[in-house]
DNA sequence: AAACTTCTCAACCGCTTGCAT
DNA sequence: TATGCAAGCGGTTGAGAAGTT
């Protein structure tokens, strides 16, 4: 239980600030500095609690606060940082000069989050989620007329629609970017074998030695996923750079990145034997684009690797989302995130295709 | 024009963290 | 080490604005 809020002490005002109160607070802080928030209101002649004064100052009155609409670059930064840091609004705000954590939090909840959901991207994991995709929104005449290619691409996932676990697996693998995508993801003849190979590689990756330190593990997963996916972004990101410089973990990180890379590589040439209990040759034989085999495959991968398939949660990764958003605004902004390097990447490819269907007017 | 709905964002609340004693 | 306090954080609320019917 936390302590009772200080504002409940009698006589202290709550609610919206008046211009007079703002004036008093600004004048006091300009003269004396921020100092002790507990004693500040009394000294400044304000009938407010210190907490209220601090919030008013940090979120509204501070002279270095940037007002107005978030720029595309700011939005892109927020999405990237959120994929790494989660809802650590103050940490995100620390990297966006002039923006407060409250402002960023509000902007995320009212704009970015909704847009990601419309795109079919889980705003928590940043994973493409076909089950979240608002297809009706994509077909709004005013927004966009989908091309035959777009419809063909979406149709490639149609066989998965009756198998939620496979749908989640597809989403997870596409978002993790840990697999080399089929050259044409719209081709279900290639999609299914690719999913199977990716699943096996994921199973192999899960067999890697577990780290006791959970924080290190999540960092490791993040790095491994990113390393497979967009090395340039990882190295360019100061946050990740900082993490990489953690001396104690560095050696182990390298070791595990190598192992993760090996897992990624294994998908280029499917393993010939048994991986984590999976009968690979038998499964490969099953990969035919008809419903009965899909059902069989679905139950096989689900039962053999519940951790991966059932959860539907993927390693957080910034690039698919940011790349998707970026691509949707490509007509007005320069590309970022190394589109060329991502062109062979499943996540980027997927998000680019989906983003083609977005309403670009959101950014105008 | 009025009623209703949706959106925005400033402010609050409860909790955690860090520091001083 | 235990305790209390101040500062900070993230989730939530609610009033007013904007949009829709």
């Amino acid at each position: 239980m936390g302590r009772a809020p200080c504002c409940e002490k009698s006589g202290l005002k709550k609610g919206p600030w008046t211009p007079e109160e703002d004036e008093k607070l600004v004048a006091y802080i300009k003269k004396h500095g921020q100092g002790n928030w507990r004693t500040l209101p009394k000294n400044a002649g304000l009938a407010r609690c210190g907490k209220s004064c601090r919030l008013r100052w940090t979120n509204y009155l501070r002279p270095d606060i940037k007002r107005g609409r978030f720029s595309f670059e700011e939005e892109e930064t927020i999405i990237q940082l959120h994929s790494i840091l989660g809802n650590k609004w103050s940490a995100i705000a620390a990297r966006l000069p002039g923006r407060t954590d409250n402002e960023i939090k509000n902007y995320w909840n009212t704009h970015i989050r909704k847009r990601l959901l419309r795109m079919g991207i889980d705003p928590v994991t940043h994973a493409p989620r076909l089950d979240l995709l608002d297809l009706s929104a994509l077909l709004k005449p005013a927004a966009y007329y989908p091309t035959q290619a777009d419809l063909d691409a979406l149709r490639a996932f149609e066989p998965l629609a009756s198998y939620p676990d496979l749908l989640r697996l597809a989403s997870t693998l596409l978002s993790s970017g840990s697999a080399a995508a089929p050259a044409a993801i719209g081709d279900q003849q290639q999609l299914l074998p690719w999913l199977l190979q990716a699943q096996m590689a994921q199973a192999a990756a899960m067999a890697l030695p577990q780290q006791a330190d959970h924080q290190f593990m999540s960092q490791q997963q993040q790095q491994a996923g990113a390393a497979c996916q967009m090395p340039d972004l990882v190295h360019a990101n100061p946050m990740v750079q900082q993490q990489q410089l953690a001396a104690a973990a560095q050696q182990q990180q390298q070791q595990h990145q190598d192992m993760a890379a090996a897992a990624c590589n294994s998908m280029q040439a499917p393993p010939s034997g048994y991986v984590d209990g999976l009968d690979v040759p038998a499964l490969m034989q099953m990969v035919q684009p008809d419903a009965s085999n899909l059902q069989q495959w679905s139950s096989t991968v689900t039962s053999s690797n519940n951790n991966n398939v059932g959860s539907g949660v993927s390693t957080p990764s910034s690039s698919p989302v940011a790349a998707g958003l970026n691509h949707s605004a490509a007509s007005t902004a320069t590309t970022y995130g190394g589109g060329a390097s991502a062109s062979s990447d499943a996540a980027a490819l997927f998000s680019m295709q989906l983003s083609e269907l977005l309403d670009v007017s959101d950014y105008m």
Side-chain angles (χ1 to χ4, degrees):
Chain A
M1 285 295 286
R3 285 170 295 137
C6 55
C7 293
E8 280 178 12
K9 289 173 185 169
S10 59
L12 294 181
K13 192 182 168 191
K14 287 168 69 177
W17 281 63
T18 64
E20 291 74 28
E21 287 177 311
D22 284 348
E23 216 170 283
K24 281 183 183 178
L25 182 58
V26 171
Y28 182 87
I29 290 177
K30 274 185 180 170
K31 193 173 177 183
H32 301 96
Q34 291 181 35
N36 188 326
W37 289 112
R38 175 74 80 170
T39 57
L40 183 148
K42 191 183 170 189
N43 296 336
L46 289 162
R48 296 269 182 177
C49 71
K51 199 172 183 176
S52 182
C53 293
R54 180 176 56 79
L55 274 172
R56 183 63 179 172
W57 174 257
T58 55
N59 288 338
Y60 199 83
L61 297 175
R62 238 173 51 203
D64 58 329
I65 286 180
K66 194 194 286 183
R67 299 243 151 243
R69 201 180 161 83
F70 280 73
S71 68
F72 178 76
E73 287 73 22
E74 285 177 312
E75 194 167 307
E76 193 176 88
T77 303
I78 292 170
I79 293 167
Q80 277 192 49
L81 290 173
H82 187 273
S83 71
I84 297 167
L85 301 168
N87 292 2
K88 302 285 179 193
W89 305 117
S90 61
I92 294 171
R95 287 162 178 78
L96 281 169
R99 299 296 188 181
T100 69
D101 53 355
N102 207 35
E103 197 179 10
I104 291 168
K105 178 174 61 182
N106 282 334
Y107 191 70
W108 176 272
N109 288 328
T110 57
H111 292 93
I112 301 176
R113 190 174 167 278
K114 287 176 185 172
R115 190 178 305 139
L116 294 182
L117 285 171
R118 255 186 287 145
M119 289 169 66
I121 292 169
D122 187 330
V124 177
T125 63
H126 291 245
R129 290 268 303 273
L130 295 176
D131 51 328
L132 291 179
L133 188 61
D134 182 2
L135 292 173
S136 64
L138 301 179
L139 299 174
K140 278 179 190 165
Y144 180 74
Y145 291 99
T147 65
Q148 190 57 47
D150 295 328
L151 295 174
D152 288 344
L154 286 171
R155 197 169 293 128
F157 292 93
E158 200 177 306
L160 302 179
S162 306
Y163 307 96
D165 51 338
L166 289 186
L167 203 54
R168 281 195 297 273
L169 171 62
S171 296
T172 301
L173 294 172
L174 287 164
S175 69
S176 73
S178 61
I185 202 160
D187 181 353
Q188 36 173 295
Q189 301 270 354
Q190 294 185 48
L191 176 65
L192 294 178
W194 172 73
L195 275 173
L196 176 58
Q197 290 175 17
Q199 163 65 15
M200 290 186 298
Q202 201 177 44
M206 289 299 289
L208 293 175
Q210 299 293 308
Q211 292 291 323
D213 181 347
H214 181 263
Q215 193 175 2
F216 174 76
M217 192 57 198
S218 61
Q219 178 185 332
Q220 185 57 47
Q221 289 170 337
Q222 192 176 79
Q223 300 246 345
C228 284
Q229 187 178 335
M230 297 184 73
D232 292 343
L233 183 62
V234 173
H235 296 307
N237 188 309
M239 188 64 192
V240 177
Q241 270 183 336
Q242 195 180 336
Q243 291 175 338
Q244 284 180 322
L245 289 174
Q250 198 171 27
Q251 202 172 358
Q252 281 179 302
Q253 279 181 347
Q254 187 56 51
Q255 190 182 349
H256 283 261
Q257 277 183 2
D258 292 344
M259 296 168 85
C264 291
N265 290 338
S266 73
M267 286 179 291
Q268 315 290 345
S272 57
Y274 291 82
V275 178
D276 198 23
L278 289 174
D279 183 344
V280 176
L283 284 169
M284 289 301 287
Q285 278 191 341
M286 286 163 51
V287 181
Q288 301 291 333
D290 69 73
S292 62
N293 284 328
L294 257 181
Q295 194 167 24
Q296 200 179 348
W297 181 47
S298 171
S299 61
T300 302
V301 295
T302 305
S303 61
S304 66
N305 197 353
N306 277 326
N307 283 344
N308 292 338
V309 182
S311 69
V313 176
S314 71
T315 303
S317 167
S318 64
S319 54
V321 177
L325 283 172
N326 185 59
H327 192 77
S328 70
S331 60
T332 55
T334 55
T335 56
Y336 113 99
S341 69
S343 62
S344 64
D345 171 70
L349 207 152
F350 179 62
S351 53
M352 282 170 69
Q353 289 195 354
L354 285 181
S355 63
E356 293 283 4
L357 308 177
L358 293 176
D359 184 1
V360 178
S361 64
D362 277 357
Y363 293 93
M364 302 304 166

